[in-house]
Amino acid sequence: MQAFAYRDGVLHAEGVALTGIAGRHGTPTYVYSRAAIEARWRAFDQGFACLPHLICYAVKANSNLAVLGVLARLGSGFDIVSVGELERVLRAGGDPGKVVFAGVGKREDEIARALEVGIRCFNVELVPELERIHDVARRMGARAPVALRVNPDVDARTHPYIATGMKQNKFGIPADEALSVYEYATRLPHLKVTGIGCHIGSQLTEVGPFDDAVAKVLDLVHLLRARGVEIEHIDIGGGLGIQYRDEEPPAVHAYAELISRRLAGQVKEVLMEPGRAIVGNAGILLTRVEYVKETPAKRFVIVDAAMNDLIRPALYEAWHEILRVRRDSDAPVAECDVVGPVCETGDFLARNRAIVAVQGDLLAVMSAGAYGFSMSSNYNARPRAAEVMVDGAQAYLVRARETVGQLLAGETTL
Ligand code: LLP
């Protein structure tokens, strides 16, 4: 389905013109399509239909309550990395029994809260964490469900900042130590070892690395079984890429088919943690051209969104398509840099892009539903953008634009 398409020369989100959203809520504003989010979640659900499975949407990709609420209503689980994300899931109506908790630095209070609400499982990344979870569980008189996140040492062939499954990365327990860590874990009375998992990186555009990683994890499952340790679930992580430009990431069904074939009959349940693949192409960032600046060297289109709103171009040199919302005037296409008002040369949304853009135009930065708002900041004392979710012909403001007053609340002078 096409969540964002032109109708009568105006870019729409489902049935709503983006010009109307900008008029009502201002810019910069993130706009999400409920139908697109649901369609992608269902693609995973159907792809894995032949196996007992649980989709744990990676909250970090987009943690807006409306996004989480839409997914919770579909019956989704959630992959969280902080107590803040846990509280978001609970507030949105998510089932704590379908939450997995990943991350290399879990604090005691976070572990305690997760135990208190009864999450599905902790994905453990190192032995001291295992011991800390055991300790907290003992004090609470509980038994904590744990899975080990192993590091399979597989190259995800993605941007180095978001590759996580190689031995030089901080994530997971080295595969060759996993057996002894499992044996240790099974001796700790306040732990219940339920699973094994891996997550090798994000924005993967090939299935090969997933296949290699799952094969390595399965080898461990077999070795553990031979030693009498039964593993109930395998968590295959997230990481399936989306198309930003001309990438050709595997289709969800192809990815699901490959993994299902490998896992059929091997474990009781497969868990997965897709983030970007569900929300990435379900959102855009709507921004307005404040000025056009021509210099002898370059043409700069200065917009009201900046690196604080969408940091992916600055941080990963990510490419996002930029579309003009109203395709009416006959202004010429010109090569330009689309930049924000932040005082850094790294503050760009696009470089050397041939587009039409004149002062006052609305532009849509595409594929911004994942790691857009969730990575935004207040740099340069810029309030964070508004967020709108479109559902058919309706647009709902799901997060009001931050105010400068909110930015200053909590601070004092001496
Ligand atoms: N599970 C774990 C343990 C993760 O660390 C991540 C992402 C996911 C699942 C979800 O991965 P996804 O399906 O979204 O690829 N800020 C970067 C991406 C960072 C990904 C971090 N971990 C970006 O904008 O490209």
Side-chain angles (χ1 to χ4, degrees):
M1 64 150 299
Q2 271 284 69
F4 300 94
Y6 284 96
R7 281 198 209 171
D8 302 324
V10 176
L11 192 59
H12 281 60
E14 299 188 28
V16 181
L18 293 178
T19 43
I21 292 177
R24 185 145 165 230
H25 301 294
T27 51
T29 292
Y30 277 94
V31 183
Y32 310 125
S33 155
R34 175 180 185 172
I37 295 171
E38 292 186 337
R40 294 293 287 182
W41 189 91
R42 290 205 169 97
F44 277 91
D45 196 39
Q46 284 155 13
F48 285 92
C50 59
L51 283 179
H53 65 275
L54 178 63
I55 303 168
C56 296
Y57 163 71
V59 173
K60 63 176 81 67
N62 186 324
S63 59
N64 182 281
L65 291 184
V67 172
L68 302 183
V70 159
L71 293 171
R73 276 188 241 179
L74 292 175
S76 189
F78 297 92
D79 155 43
I80 60 159
V81 290
S82 71
V83 76
E85 288 189 349
L86 176 58
E87 299 302 345
R88 283 185 168 276
V89 168
L90 297 174
R91 180 73 68 86
D95 175 356
K98 293 182 179 173
V99 168
V100 297
F101 191 172
V104 293
K106 299 178 190 77
R107 294 192 313 258
E108 283 202 7
D109 63 294
E110 294 183 301
I111 294 167
R113 177 68 175 144
L115 278 174
E116 179 184 86
V117 303
I119 65 161
R120 168 71 194 263
C121 165
F122 292 90
N123 287 343
V124 176
E125 307 238 12
L126 62 164
V127 172
E129 179 197 335
L130 198 66
E131 291 166 341
R132 180 178 282 182
I133 294 172
H134 181 254
D135 235 39
V136 176
R138 183 176 44 74
R139 271 182 268 143
M140 292 173 68
R143 201 158 169 227
V146 295
L148 295 194
R149 173 176 177 178
V150 300
N151 182 324
D153 193 25
V154 167
D155 183 357
R157 299 197 278 273
T158 183
H159 190 284
Y161 289 6
I162 52 176
T164 54
M166 283 178 289
K167 58 173 182 267
Q168 60 270 34
N169 302 136
K170 70 179 174 186
F171 300 98
I173 293 170
D176 52 5
E177 289 169 28
L179 288 183
S180 58
V181 179
Y182 266 104
E183 281 174 351
Y184 177 46
T186 52
R187 289 199 304 271
L188 297 175
H190 289 275
L191 297 184
K192 179 174 175 2
V193 181
T194 61
I196 190 165
C198 69
H199 169 78
I200 57 171
S202 195
Q203 184 55 13
L204 272 72
T205 52
E206 304 164 52
V207 286
F210 288 118
D211 201 27
D212 294 347
V214 170
K216 287 200 177 178
V217 171
L218 260 184
D219 285 347
L220 282 170
V221 170
H222 295 143
L223 286 171
L224 285 165
R225 199 166 279 158
R227 295 180 185 205
V229 182
E230 200 46 50
I231 297 296
E232 286 171 16
H233 77 254
I234 289 189
D235 184 336
I236 57 172
L240 186 63
I242 61 167
Q243 188 179 19
Y244 285 96
R245 188 179 192 175
D246 47 13
E247 307 89 338
E248 290 179 353
V252 175
H253 68 82
Y255 161 82
E257 196 184 305
L258 176 103
I259 308 247
S260 307
R261 216 180 311 124
R262 272 222 185 263
L263 294 185
Q266 302 286 341
V267 277
K268 286 203 192 121
E269 193 178 18
V270 54
L271 270 55
M272 64 206 77
E273 306 170 354
R276 186 190 322 259
I278 290 180
V279 291
N281 277 324
I284 60 124
L285 172 59
L286 190 57
T287 182
R288 196 176 287 281
V289 178
E290 294 282 1
Y291 303 100
V292 176
K293 176 176 179 177
E294 305 270 4
T295 75
K298 244 192 174 150
R299 180 166 199 267
F300 294 99
V301 171
I302 304 169
V303 296
D304 62 7
M307 65 189 291
N308 73 295
D309 299 300
L310 179 65
I311 202 172
R312 303 194 70 258
L315 191 55
Y316 316 110
E317 294 188 84
W319 192 98
H320 286 258
E321 185 171 15
I322 298 197
L323 295 178
R324 193 164 183 236
V325 170
R326 197 190 282 282
R327 280 198 299 209
D328 53 0
S329 90
D330 36 17
V333 174
E335 193 174 286
C336 63
D337 283 8
V338 179
V339 301
V342 162
C343 300
E344 297 218 21
T345 298
D347 177 30
F348 57 86
L349 298 176
R351 283 189 297 186
N352 306 319
R353 198 67 68 81
I355 55 169
V356 179
V358 299
Q359 191 168 359
D361 265 359
L362 278 175
L363 301 179
V365 184
M366 306 305 288
S367 309
Y371 307 108
F373 187 93
S374 65
M375 293 183 82
S376 66
S377 75
N378 295 121
Y379 188 39
N380 277 207
R382 288 169 52 84
R384 280 177 297 173
E387 291 175 288
V388 166
M389 185 178 287
V390 170
D391 184 8
Q394 291 291 326
Y396 300 92
L397 181 66
V398 292
R399 181 183 168 114
R401 183 177 310 289
E402 227 169 9
T403 63
V404 172
Q406 287 170 324
L407 288 191
L408 304 188
E411 289 184 45
T412 54
T413 54
L414 283 189

